[in-house]
Amino acid sequence: MSTTPAESTPVPGQAHIPPPRRQLSPFRYWLLKGIVDERGQHQGPHGQTPERTHSWWQVMCLTGVDYFSTLGYQPAIAALAAGLIAPFATLVLVALTLLGALPVYRRVARESFKGSGSIAMLERLLPWWAGKLFVLVLLGFAATDFMITITLSAADASAHAIENPFAPAWFHGNQVGITLFLLALLGAVFLKGFREAIGIAVVLVAIYLALNVIVVGVSIGEVFTHPLAVTDWWTALTTSHGDPLIIVGISLLVFPRLALGLSGFETGVAVMPQIKGAPNDDPEYPRGRIRGAGRLLSTAAIIMSVFLITSSFTTTLLIPQSAFQPGGPANGRALAYLAHEFLGNGFGTVYDISTILILWFAGASAMAGLLNLVPRYLPRYGMAPQWSRAVRPLVLVFTTIAFIITLVFQANVDAQGGAYATGVLVLITSASIAVTLSARRKRQRNRTIAFAIISVVFIYTTIDNMIERPDGLRIASLFILGILVISLVSRVGRSFQLRATSVTLDVGALDFVLEDAEEGEIRIISHEPDVDTDKEYAEKNKDERRFSHIPQRARTIFLEVYPSDSSDFEEDLIVEGVIKHGYRVLQVRSGNVPNTIAAVLLEIRDVTGVVPTIYFEWTEGNPISNMFRFLITGGGEVAPVTREVLREAERDVKRRPAVHVS
């Protein structure tokens, strides 16, 4: 919200977006292209309202490139983490998927159908600064999840390429370089412009799942053809662990390391706007889209559960445990190992190519998630610069971070597994807590208890994973620290910006200002709405006329800002005109007083064509403490801050509303 160009005609009650003050260079224009929504809502590759929606099963493929691609490395990670017990630990994981994560995210889909996910639910349930800080911490874990998805998927794609028997000799020993190339290619695609991905995702997922059906089917046939493999496995298992209860206990302790198999649920609700709803869907609660999202989540979970169980069973029985170790031929590529072993190098190469493509596209899905997540929250909180609303600068930032992570971990899939699992588990845990709070608020006792139990299980799983593999917590802590520092610096740096995304004057307010504009002067008296009595307004009017030298016959209008959530940065302002004790009063609700007053004054100028004047009293108290009050509560030293906001917003002194302080 700012000034209106001189040649344009003001429209009463409508906010005016400023034209660019200066021409951008071609490079800056290209770099910043995409800042199309000044309100900071869902932007990025899927930020716009989709021109064409799709059937739920097609959209499932878009989230499936993230979810299903974990089959490329999940069986090998499970075997490495749990050894001979991997099939039992996988059964625990599947039970948690179907009985825990699935019901949680089906509820998230019902309550966050615009694609905002569980973080937005918590934002609504936990207002004020505590909620904002909690969201920032969750964003740190979400960034960990998505960034490690990008780097781990690229690293595993490199592993599949290197281990292929037809790979050039120079591939060996160059996994870091190949991974960096894939990351650079991913960044280049997003810099050019990420087009509709569903068509590509459907093809990749269909081919990949079909090839996995063949590999798993042939592997199961090998197990039945050679029953000795089952006997040898069972003998080794009972010899090393003995009591079946011990096997169950170890499975319960080990399964948190297999949490990679839970990835994809948050992405599943993020892509909900792409799902075609029913023709008669209510935009306020689109039941058809919600039903489609439920089918998407359920079908994806069932498909993945079947593959998790069968792949873990066959890889554990048919691949020597030594092959799963770092540097082994099955490390990070267990199903590819079976494809080459039982179907030949030709089919195995086709499988490798399919796996490389879907893993690379899983990185694209994660990058899209990041590009949609960051602009949705940080600029709206005032905790990121305006350029963070554009896609290309963020692509450069995220690609650089991906390079750093790859170099630190040397493109090692196993080393990044802990960080990935941490991000996934924290997001699912937060979703569980969100639906528990939602059920409690709606007084749904049985569902509250059920979701609370699920939350406790995920909390245990998350804590156990953090203790067992602290790398994930360290990486997430770095992301959280970075987000908090950037947020604090940005919030302070943007303190004097206009924060109103729109200003609307109701009929009463318009009548007041247009009536005074006919006389050529609009005089506004700033009034803190504390004591609502006739005496209070009479004394305030008398004092301002006396100390600010307002003529006795001059008309005045009071302006009152009623406090709301001070942690909000960007707001839509509604200004109401009322008569109180015989005085005309403009009332507006906002979490920030001086920036709101400045926005209202500029809107009055734009609507009437008359530059208004506002009158303040000096605020009592220490200037330093008032500064902190302003940053935290939106109050403090109102008069000088209002003047500074106006000075920043309007460089032309003649068009700038005048500020008088007495």
Side-chain angles (χ1 to χ4, degrees):
M1 208 294 301
S2 185
T3 61
T4 305
E7 66 272 18
S8 44
T9 303
V11 180
Q14 179 178 323
H16 305 286
I17 303 301
R21 288 194 176 94
R22 60 186 177 85
Q23 284 291 106
L24 296 177
S25 67
F27 174 74
R28 283 178 59 83
Y29 175 81
W30 173 83
L31 190 66
L32 297 178
K33 185 178 180 182
I35 303 183
V36 294
D37 181 3
E38 289 297 325
R39 298 172 61 175
Q41 296 185 358
H42 195 190
Q43 297 189 30
H46 302 298
Q48 305 285 331
T49 301
E51 296 178 1
R52 185 168 66 93
T53 52
H54 305 265
S55 299
W56 64 266
W57 62 268
Q58 293 175 304
V59 182
M60 182 188 72
C61 293
L62 184 61
T63 185
V65 294
D66 176 15
Y67 195 20
F68 299 143
S69 68
T70 56
L71 289 171
Y73 46 81
Q74 171 73 10
I77 290 178
L80 189 63
L84 298 173
I85 301 177
F88 295 102
T90 302
L91 285 173
V92 176
L93 175 66
V94 167
L96 191 59
T97 298
L98 299 178
L99 302 178
L102 180 58
V104 164
Y105 276 94
R106 284 178 65 94
R107 173 129 187 172
V108 171
R110 289 196 296 272
E111 299 196 19
S112 189
F113 51 82
K114 294 183 179 180
S116 301
S118 60
I119 295 180
M121 288 182 63
L122 287 169
E123 183 187 26
R124 293 194 299 268
L125 294 168
L126 301 171
W128 299 90
W129 281 107
K132 297 293 189 297
L133 292 175
F134 191 65
V135 167
L136 290 177
V137 171
L138 286 180
L139 286 176
F141 283 106
T144 303
D145 177 11
F146 287 126
M147 285 304 309
I148 299 298
T149 297
I150 294 171
T151 58
L152 185 146
S153 298
D156 196 54
S158 302
H160 281 78
I162 291 171
E163 292 297 330
N164 186 276
F166 301 118
W170 61 269
F171 270 29
H172 294 273
N174 285 315
Q175 182 161 351
V176 172
I178 297 172
T179 303
L180 292 176
F181 170 77
L182 291 175
L183 293 174
L185 186 61
L186 178 67
V189 168
F190 278 89
L191 287 175
K192 179 174 176 55
F194 190 74
R195 301 299 180 186
E196 180 58 67
I198 289 182
I200 301 173
V202 169
V203 174
L204 289 178
V205 168
I207 294 174
Y208 184 68
L209 291 183
L211 293 176
N212 274 285
V213 167
I214 296 172
V215 173
V216 172
V218 170
S219 300
I220 292 174
E222 286 292 327
V223 170
F224 283 105
T225 304
H226 303 87
L228 189 61
V230 179
T231 305
D232 291 344
W233 166 70
W234 185 253
T235 301
L237 183 65
T238 53
T239 301
S240 57
H241 299 291
D243 193 340
L245 292 178
I246 295 178
I247 296 175
V248 174
I250 294 175
S251 298
L252 293 173
L253 292 174
V254 166
F255 90 91
R257 304 185 200 175
L258 280 60
L260 301 182
L262 290 168
S263 69
F265 280 100
E266 193 73 26
T267 311
V269 294
V271 298
M272 277 189 66
Q274 300 282 341
I275 299 175
K276 182 184 297 182
N280 59 346
D281 264 357
D282 179 2
E284 297 301 318
Y285 192 77
R287 297 181 182 276
R289 178 187 296 173
I290 292 171
R291 282 196 301 271
R295 293 168 183 165
L296 181 157
L297 294 168
S298 299
T299 305
I302 292 171
I303 291 174
M304 191 63 178
S305 297
V306 171
F307 274 114
L308 285 173
I309 293 172
T310 54
S311 63
S312 178
F313 178 75
T314 54
T315 54
T316 302
L317 267 63
L318 298 176
I319 300 176
Q321 286 294 306
S322 59
F324 293 113
Q325 300 305 312
N331 181 253
R333 54 184 300 277
L335 288 175
Y337 178 94
L338 294 179
H340 285 274
E341 182 74 16
F342 298 120
L343 293 164
N345 289 334
F347 181 90
T349 299
V350 173
Y351 183 86
D352 283 339
I353 293 172
S354 173
T355 305
I356 291 169
L357 289 174
I358 198 169
L359 285 168
W360 181 81
F361 212 70
S365 176
M367 179 71 83
L370 280 170
L371 295 174
N372 290 330
L373 198 64
V374 171
R376 178 184 288 147
Y377 292 101
L378 295 185
R380 183 161 52 87
Y381 290 177
M383 294 177 173
Q386 290 288 351
W387 58 258
S388 64
R389 285 188 167 121
V391 169
R392 288 178 176 129
L394 288 180
V395 170
L396 293 175
V397 171
F398 295 142
T399 303
T400 301
I401 295 173
F403 276 24
I404 294 172
I405 292 174
T406 298
L407 292 172
V408 169
F409 285 100
Q410 290 295 292
N412 188 303
V413 175
D414 299 325
Q416 298 177 70
Y420 189 15
T422 298
V424 170
L425 286 171
V426 169
L427 287 181
I428 295 180
T429 301
S430 68
S432 304
I433 294 172
V435 297
T436 302
L437 293 175
S438 173
R440 183 174 180 271
R441 178 169 290 187
K442 295 180 180 179
R443 302 184 184 279
Q444 299 170 333
R445 185 172 179 272
N446 293 337
R447 294 183 181 182
T448 301
I449 294 172
F451 286 131
I453 293 172
I454 294 172
S455 298
V456 170
V457 172
F458 277 119
I459 289 171
Y460 153 73
T461 306
T462 303
I463 294 174
D464 182 82
N465 181 78
M466 289 179 177
I467 294 173
E468 184 70 24
R469 308 179 76 176
D471 284 347
L473 183 58
R474 294 193 191 105
I475 293 176
S477 299
L478 291 176
F479 278 108
I480 292 169
L481 180 62
I483 287 175
L484 291 177
V485 171
I486 292 171
S487 298
L488 177 62
V489 172
S490 177
R491 182 89 181 201
V492 173
R494 298 179 64 189
S495 296
F496 299 124
Q497 288 184 3
L498 286 174
R499 303 184 183 184
T501 50
S502 69
V503 180
T504 303
L505 305 178
D506 75 354
V507 175
L510 278 172
D511 286 342
F512 293 163
V513 298
L514 291 174
E515 187 178 5
D516 286 11
E518 291 179 358
E519 299 183 3
E521 288 282 350
I522 300 177
R523 296 179 175 90
I524 308 292
I525 296 176
S526 176
H527 180 234
E528 186 174 354
D530 47 6
V531 181
D532 187 6
T533 63
D534 179 73
K535 181 180 178 182
E536 167 70 16
Y537 284 91
E539 289 185 352
K540 178 69 174 179
N541 183 57
K542 179 182 176 181
D543 289 344
E544 286 297 343
R545 289 182 183 276
R546 176 186 175 190
F547 295 115
S548 298
H549 307 292
I550 302 174
Q552 290 300 315
R553 292 183 176 274
R555 302 168 64 88
T556 59
I557 305 173
F558 285 92
L559 174 57
E560 299 176 342
V561 181
Y562 288 80
S564 61
D565 189 346
S566 60
S567 64
D568 286 337
F569 190 84
E570 296 181 340
E571 302 172 290
D572 293 314
L573 301 179
I574 307 294
V575 184
E576 299 176 339
V578 298
I579 301 293
K580 297 179 69 174
H581 308 291
Y583 296 94
R584 298 176 302 165
V585 182
L586 300 178
Q587 296 180 333
V588 60
R589 185 168 295 278
S590 171
N592 185 279
V593 177
N595 305 67
T596 296
I597 292 175
V600 172
L601 292 175
L602 290 171
E603 179 67 11
I604 291 173
R605 180 205 63 187
D606 293 343
V607 167
T608 64
V610 176
V611 178
T613 301
I614 189 163
Y615 300 89
F616 292 95
E617 290 182 2
W618 284 112
T619 305
E620 295 295 328
N622 185 284
I624 303 299
S625 61
N626 281 333
M627 179 186 69
F628 282 104
R629 280 183 59 202
F630 165 64
L631 292 174
I632 297 173
T633 68
E637 197 73 62
V638 176
V641 176
T642 301
R643 194 266 177 189
E644 181 60 23
V645 174
L646 288 169
R647 191 185 69 83
E648 290 283 342
E650 178 54 73
R651 298 295 183 181
D652 187 348
V653 177
K654 294 181 180 180
R655 288 179 51 79
R656 184 188 306 156
V659 175
H660 289 272
V661 190
S662 61

